[in-house]
Amino acid sequence: MAAEQGRVNDYQQCVVLLDLTAQQHLDDTGGRSAARTMLEQILAKCDGIPGLVSLLTSTLSLIATFA
């Protein structure tokens, strides 16, 4: 992601959101909800990085299967 930071409007905020998302516990509803919200925010802010968009979309789909 660092190599593509020029394609993202707010790179630092995306990094912070990714770190916060990684700290969520996906085995409970609150953690899944928080992770989903943060991933959606990252998608909106970091849509200039194609590989990241693919990864986040897949991750959102996986989280939905736990719900």
Side-chain angles (χ1 to χ4, degrees):
M1 193 168 120
E4 299 290 339
Q5 77 183 57
R7 300 173 87 179
V8 178
N9 290 337
D10 196 346
Y11 174 77
Q12 189 58 40
Q13 186 172 12
C14 291
V15 170
V16 168
L17 286 169
L18 281 171
D19 287 341
L20 289 172
T21 302
Q23 297 172 24
Q24 301 307 307
H25 296 278
L26 300 180
D27 56 348
D28 69 51
T29 304
R32 285 190 302 274
S33 178
R36 184 174 29 253
T37 299
M38 285 183 254
L39 290 170
E40 289 168 350
Q41 290 175 358
I42 296 166
L43 273 175
K45 295 182 178 300
C46 302
D47 65 348
I49 304 174
L52 182 62
V53 170
S54 258
L55 177 64
L56 295 178
T57 302
S58 296
T59 304
L60 284 166
S61 293
L62 285 172
I63 289 173
T65 63
F66 291 121

